[in-house]
């Protein structure tokens, strides 16, 4: 006959099997399976966001899109900046893009500094528009810089860096620029704005004696010698 069903202990499991024409209840040891869960941690690399100049922030408003802005956010070098490059998409001021400082700070290489570095002297006396210019000595005599580029509007034509002819050359739209020292060249204006007349590299309200005023628009007025 067929054997009696087996009695399994706590460490065994039983099942019916058909053996030799008999259904036999067979015990077998329980196999313990250990499942190890592997947790993978992915560390994302730090991403550096590059700001792109799309507008100019002057005071608290952009010149093109007419949205609110300020140059006085971080970085520190822009905290005394009045006019700077602005990214409309990321809504942030662009580092080293200042073209006019405030709070008696001096403009140097796109940043606003409390005092000019060695080799430069401060130029200007108002709360706005002070700049650092190259000096021959520690005295206040400035070097005559060579024109290596042209500043037109808010950018140089060759090197494509931010610039402004004003206030260094008042009421000037296009002027000479020196790329080595990142500064506008004095008395180098070629196109005036704000209905001013071009005369010997400067923009004047009225032409000097011996010259004749020419032009009627906001731009391109000039003094013509006979």
């Amino acid at each position: 006959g067929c054997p009696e069903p087996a009695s399994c202990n706590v460490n065994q499991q039983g099942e019916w099997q058909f053996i030799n024409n008999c259904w036999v209840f067979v015990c077998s040891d329980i196999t313990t399976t250990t499942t190890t869960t592997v947790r993978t941690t992915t560390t994302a690399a730090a991403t550096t966001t590059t700001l792109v100049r799309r507008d100019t922030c002057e005071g608290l408003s952009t010149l093109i899109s007419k949205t609110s802005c300020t140059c006085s956010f971080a970085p520190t070098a822009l905290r005394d900046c009045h006019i700077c490059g602005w990214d409309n998409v990321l809504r942030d001021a662009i580092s080293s893009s200042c073209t006019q400082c405030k709070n008696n700070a001096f403009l140097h290489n796109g940043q606003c500094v409390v005092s000019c570095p060695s080799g430069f002297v401060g130029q200007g006396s108002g709360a706005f528009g002070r700049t650092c210019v190259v000096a021959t000595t520690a005295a206040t005599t400035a070097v005559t810089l060579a024109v290596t580029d042209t500043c037109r509007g808010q950018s140089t034509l060759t090197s494509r860096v931010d610039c402004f002819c004003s206030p260094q050359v008042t009421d000037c739209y296009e002027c000479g620029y020196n790329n080595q020292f990142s500064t506008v060249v004095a008395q180098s204006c070629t196109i005036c704005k704000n209905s001013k007349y071009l005369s010997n590299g400067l923009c004047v309200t009225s032409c000097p004696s011996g010259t004749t005023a020419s032009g009627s628009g906001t731009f391109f007025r000039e003094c013509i010698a006979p």
Side-chain angles (χ1 to χ4, degrees):
C2 295
E4 293 292 327
S7 179
C8 301
N9 59 39
V10 294
N11 295 319
Q12 293 179 317
Q13 61 183 3
E15 62 177 349
W16 289 97
Q17 297 181 7
F18 190 72
I19 303 174
N20 296 329
N21 295 323
C22 290
W23 282 103
V24 180
F25 192 77
V26 178
C27 295
S28 59
D29 294 334
I30 298 175
T31 301
T32 302
T33 302
T34 302
T35 302
T36 303
T37 302
V38 178
R39 180 176 297 173
T40 302
T41 301
T42 302
T43 303
T47 302
T48 302
T49 302
T50 302
L51 298 176
V52 177
R53 177 168 186 155
R54 299 177 173 88
D55 208 336
T56 296
C57 177
E58 181 172 353
L60 298 174
S61 177
T62 55
L63 299 184
I64 299 174
S65 58
K66 302 300 182 183
T67 57
S68 61
C69 68
T70 178
C71 300
S72 299
F73 286 146
T76 304
L78 290 183
R79 288 181 184 171
D80 288 321
C81 182
H82 180 62
I83 302 176
C84 66
W86 185 260
D87 189 315
N88 280 328
V89 175
L90 299 177
R91 296 193 56 76
D92 200 359
I94 299 174
S95 178
S96 298
S97 68
C98 192
T99 53
Q100 187 181 105
C101 297
K102 59 184 179 180
N103 300 332
N104 300 320
F106 295 91
L107 179 66
H108 180 69
N109 292 336
Q111 300 179 354
C112 297
V113 296
V114 176
S115 59
C116 295
S118 177
F120 293 79
V121 293
Q123 185 177 78
S125 57
F128 292 81
R130 295 190 180 196
T131 59
C132 294
V133 296
V134 182
T136 51
T137 64
T140 57
T141 303
V143 170
T144 300
L145 298 177
V147 174
T148 60
D149 206 339
T150 298
C151 175
R152 178 182 294 171
Q154 301 174 16
S155 176
T156 56
L157 299 185
T158 303
S159 56
R160 297 297 180 185
V161 297
D162 297 329
C163 68
F164 268 97
C165 294
S166 283
Q168 292 95 320
V169 186
T170 306
D171 294 315
C172 182
Y173 176 72
E174 180 182 280
C175 62
Y177 189 86
N178 184 282
N179 286 318
Q180 180 181 359
F181 296 103
S182 301
T183 187
V184 165
V185 178
Q187 202 167 334
S188 66
C189 192
T190 51
I191 300 176
C192 294
K193 60 182 179 179
N194 301 331
S195 300
K196 296 299 189 291
Y197 294 92
L198 179 65
S199 175
N200 295 324
L202 298 175
C203 297
V204 297
T205 302
S206 59
C207 292
S209 177
T211 61
T212 303
S214 174
S216 58
T218 304
F219 295 83
F220 298 104
R221 295 190 182 196
E222 58 183 337
C223 298
I224 305 296

